[in-house]
Amino acid sequence: MTTIDPVTLAVIQNGLNQVCNEMDLAFVRSAFSPVISEGMDRSDGIYDTVDGSLIAQGELGLPVFVGTMQYSTRAVIERVKSHYGGTVDPGDVFIVNDPYLGGTHLMDVRFVKPFFYKGELFAWLANTGHWPDVGGMVPGGFSASATEVEQEGLRLPPVKFFKKGVMDQEILAIILSNIRIADQRIGDIKAQAAALDTGERRLTDLVDRYGEDVVREAIAELRRRAAQQMRARIAMIPDGVYEGSSTVDSDGVVDAPLTIRMKITKRGETLGFDMTGSSPPCRGPMNSVIATTRSAIYLAIKHVFPDVPINAGTFEPLQIIDPEGTFLYARYPRPVSGCAAEVSQRIAEAVFAALTHAIPDRLFAAPAGTSGNLAIGGYDPRRGRSYVMYLFTGGGYGGSFEGDGLSNGCSTIGISKMPPVEVTEQYYPVLFEEFALAEGTGGAGRHRGGMGVRYAIRIRRGEARVSMVMDHGRVGPQGALGGGDGGVNTVRIETGGRTYTPPHLSKDQDIEVGPGDVVRVTTPGGGGYGDPRQRDPAAIARDLKRGYYTDEQAAALFGAGCVKAAAAG
């Protein structure tokens, strides 16, 4: 039993989270890249000295990094043992983006720093930032046709980037010589390091206030309680075996779908996850490394039980069979640029589909499930410099037992928001001609799915190349308990007087565009929940009044009788 009183325990818990929040804010406010400063594609956390297990992550961090940063911190710890004699110094900072060492895709670059208290290693601080470019075949790193990881960009094992607080200029030179728009990356690098410095100061203040022994005891107790709370939530699920599946459009190289087959076994207070029946490794970039696969399950369960605090104890009751021999357990040199932003969401979707049969009152239909990764790289003649614009967008959330899905929500895996149109237009030679809800994309149901978005980007000047790695272009997000699927992702590029549609629908690269050409994208809507013919006529009338569906669409989706009742009401 803990000797810490409940009030002190709660204050330390919130204090640890606040340390992470302040790191996030320091990172966001000083980063150069809009994807970080405006889109908030980053995360910060505190990790255990022995195995890198999660101690705390702030509310402002991307959920998908919850699991992966544990593994990348563990990789750093192993590298310290094997290459640095097991010792580190205050001010050391390691950099790593190797997907196979606890990573995601190469663009997610991690910094890991030892935290010392009174000369003793107390914890590790780590953060992840999405760099807009790390080299590779195409600007932005999202190569839809890569067949090996080297084509996706520069891969960094854990190396000591800062030594006793001093940046290694030789390592910096290697990095900057292998990526595009290098002058902007130095700003992101310094912001990322500054965020860890902020965490160092704030965590020192917290330990000074309560004492090293008390904080250590609190961390252990918080982990025990998180595991206990998760087991209590799992116990609410009826024992049994539940199955679900989801589909990736294609791998970008072979035009054939990839299937995730999820079997969840509930016994007592544990959940077992078996994905070994999924598709084999693929040629293109839609393979997922095991850290991302595991993290996708963690975040999916956190969506189902959002009240359970996040630390390593949260994941203890989740037993995951490594899906070796499938595209969900990528090994070198399989390409992986789509794993974090796309495949992870398909994994979560399969979890939701399976558990809908077990606890329908807590679940929901599938959300849009794609980050809508779009990269445009080119040369701006007015400013006399090259640029890389990386964009991600929202989509519809699925309907649920309680109500309709959210329209234009962020991706399943994050809290990231699309950088504001005005900011994007200031940074890059583009003009948004349209940005609106994509009416009609919400899947029909007793509670319908939310709407995706529709946008159009016109190239204002200079030549450029367009690449995208998206998903749900073939089949929309699946409905639940009789609900209809959401609308699909579409991409159209108007260039040279013709309209180009990618052969893989949601994935392509190196499409040449010039002044006046337009990129048009529609993101998926969420799936519907329950029988559409049970939808409240008043809700249908509201949807018609708002222009979400035409009369013809509503009649086809909800039934002519429902539409008549809505009109009469």
Side-chain angles (χ1 to χ4, degrees):
M1 295 294 292
T2 180
T3 59
I4 303 177
D5 66 272
V7 173
T8 301
L9 185 64
V11 171
I12 292 176
Q13 179 182 28
N14 288 315
L16 292 168
N17 290 339
Q18 184 61 23
V19 170
C20 300
N21 288 342
E22 291 199 38
M23 284 194 283
D24 278 332
L25 291 172
F27 194 179
V28 165
R29 290 171 179 170
S30 53
F32 276 39
S33 301
V35 64
I36 299 173
S37 62
E38 300 288 345
M40 301 192 295
D41 193 345
R42 49 87 195 101
S43 188
D44 292 79
I46 306 170
Y47 299 85
D48 184 77
T49 56
V50 177
D51 62 358
S53 58
L54 177 67
I55 292 174
Q57 176 176 314
E59 294 90 343
L60 305 176
L62 264 66
V64 73
F65 295 145
V66 168
T68 57
M69 287 171 67
Q70 288 190 126
Y71 295 106
S72 54
T73 302
R74 191 171 302 164
V76 168
I77 293 171
E78 294 301 319
R79 179 57 65 102
V80 169
K81 293 177 182 177
S82 62
H83 287 68
Y84 297 94
T87 62
V88 287
D89 296 304
D92 288 350
V93 178
F94 291 81
I95 185 172
V96 56
N97 74 339
D98 191 324
Y100 316 103
L101 295 177
T104 45
H105 48 212
L106 293 174
M107 291 76 77
D108 289 335
V109 181
R110 290 158 172 76
F111 280 19
V112 182
K113 183 177 187 176
F115 169 75
F116 290 87
Y117 185 75
K118 294 184 178 179
E120 297 294 327
L121 185 62
F122 184 89
W124 292 85
L125 304 176
N127 60 18
T128 302
H130 182 118
W131 290 12
D133 189 83
V134 288
M137 293 171 67
V138 299
F142 284 101
S143 169
S145 62
T147 56
E148 57 185 4
V149 71
E150 283 80 7
Q151 296 169 336
E152 296 180 322
L154 177 66
R155 182 165 62 105
L156 296 166
V159 292
K160 196 180 292 186
F161 193 14
F162 288 73
K163 299 175 175 67
K164 297 182 180 180
V166 179
M167 186 190 303
D168 188 313
Q169 294 299 314
E170 293 183 345
I171 294 177
L172 176 65
I174 292 171
I175 293 172
L176 298 185
S177 296
N178 283 276
I179 64 178
R180 300 173 180 88
I181 325 300
D183 58 326
Q184 294 179 16
R185 293 299 74 73
I186 187 62
D188 292 335
I189 287 169
K190 291 182 177 180
Q192 204 157 346
L196 297 180
D197 290 343
T198 297
E200 196 170 44
R201 293 192 298 271
R202 296 295 182 262
L203 187 53
T204 298
D205 291 343
L206 182 69
V207 182
D208 280 345
R209 180 177 179 184
Y210 292 98
E212 182 177 358
D213 292 341
V214 172
V215 174
R216 287 189 184 279
E217 184 180 357
I219 289 170
E221 178 63 12
L222 290 169
R223 177 169 178 166
R224 186 190 70 80
R225 292 192 179 199
Q228 183 182 44
Q229 286 179 262
M230 181 57 78
R231 291 190 179 98
R233 301 299 184 275
I234 291 173
M236 299 163 50
I237 303 173
D239 281 0
V241 177
Y242 306 97
E243 297 188 21
S245 65
S246 62
T247 302
V248 177
D249 287 346
S250 75
D251 69 359
V253 175
V254 178
D255 196 7
L258 302 166
T259 302
I260 298 170
R261 294 183 175 87
M262 179 73 64
K263 182 167 73 173
I264 301 177
T265 302
K266 158 57 170 57
R267 289 195 181 95
E269 296 181 335
T270 63
L271 283 177
F273 300 84
D274 185 353
M275 297 167 283
T276 55
S278 302
S279 296
C282 59
R283 290 190 62 201
M286 302 303 281
N287 297 285
S288 177
V289 291
I290 187 59
T292 299
T293 296
R294 286 177 166 268
S295 191
I297 289 177
Y298 297 158
L299 72 88
I301 296 302
K302 191 68 171 65
H303 271 284
V304 179
F305 301 117
D307 55 327
V308 180
I310 293 180
N311 59 50
T314 312
F315 317 131
E316 290 178 7
L318 310 181
Q319 301 172 353
I320 302 170
I321 297 174
D322 286 345
E324 297 194 52
T326 75
F327 77 108
L328 305 177
Y329 198 123
R331 298 185 183 275
Y332 175 83
R334 297 282 181 183
V336 295
S337 69
C339 75
E342 302 302 320
V343 180
S344 64
Q345 299 194 65
R346 295 285 74 66
I347 295 170
E349 186 177 317
V351 172
F352 301 151
L355 290 180
T356 298
H357 304 295
I359 44 175
D361 58 330
R362 294 192 69 93
L363 265 293
F364 34 80
T370 177
S371 297
N373 306 285
L374 177 73
I376 301 176
Y379 181 78
D380 185 349
R382 177 178 297 177
R383 296 181 176 179
R385 67 188 188 196
S386 299
Y387 67 92
V388 176
M389 184 189 90
Y390 168 55
L391 193 68
F392 45 78
T393 44
Y397 273 42
S400 68
F401 178 80
E402 295 182 347
D404 295 341
L406 177 71
S407 293
N408 189 24
C410 67
S411 66
T412 316
I413 60 168
I415 61 165
S416 297
K417 60 185 180 69
M418 175 184 162
V421 167
E422 296 83 359
V423 171
T424 304
E425 291 177 339
Q426 287 180 5
Y427 271 85
Y428 311 110
V430 300
L431 177 68
F432 278 82
E433 293 193 335
E434 179 184 27
F435 195 93
L437 287 183
E439 295 89 347
T441 56
R446 178 163 58 90
H447 294 142
R448 62 158 174 79
M451 306 297 160
V453 297
R454 183 175 63 250
Y455 66 89
I457 300 175
R458 183 177 295 274
I459 307 300
R460 297 177 62 193
R461 55 187 179 268
E463 304 299 321
R465 293 184 291 158
V466 179
S467 301
M468 78 287 301
V469 173
M470 306 178 184
D471 207 53
H472 268 318
R474 294 185 184 278
V475 180
Q478 57 190 298
L481 304 179
D485 293 346
V488 298
N489 167 245
T490 65
V491 180
R492 303 286 185 271
I493 298 178
E494 298 171 1
T495 175
R498 65 187 182 93
T499 299
Y500 173 78
T501 300
H504 287 247
L505 302 179
S506 60
K507 301 170 183 67
D508 209 336
Q509 70 177 51
D510 262 348
I511 305 166
E512 295 183 1
V513 292
D517 292 345
V518 180
V519 180
R520 297 188 184 276
V521 176
T522 300
T523 69
Y529 183 97
D531 185 351
R533 296 179 186 273
Q534 295 179 2
R535 184 162 178 76
D536 184 353
I540 297 175
R542 183 178 65 243
D543 289 343
L544 291 170
K545 183 177 181 180
R546 292 176 176 175
Y548 290 164
Y549 303 102
T550 65
D551 289 345
E552 293 76 13
Q553 286 175 325
L557 294 172
F558 302 103
C562 293
V563 176
K564 288 181 180 178

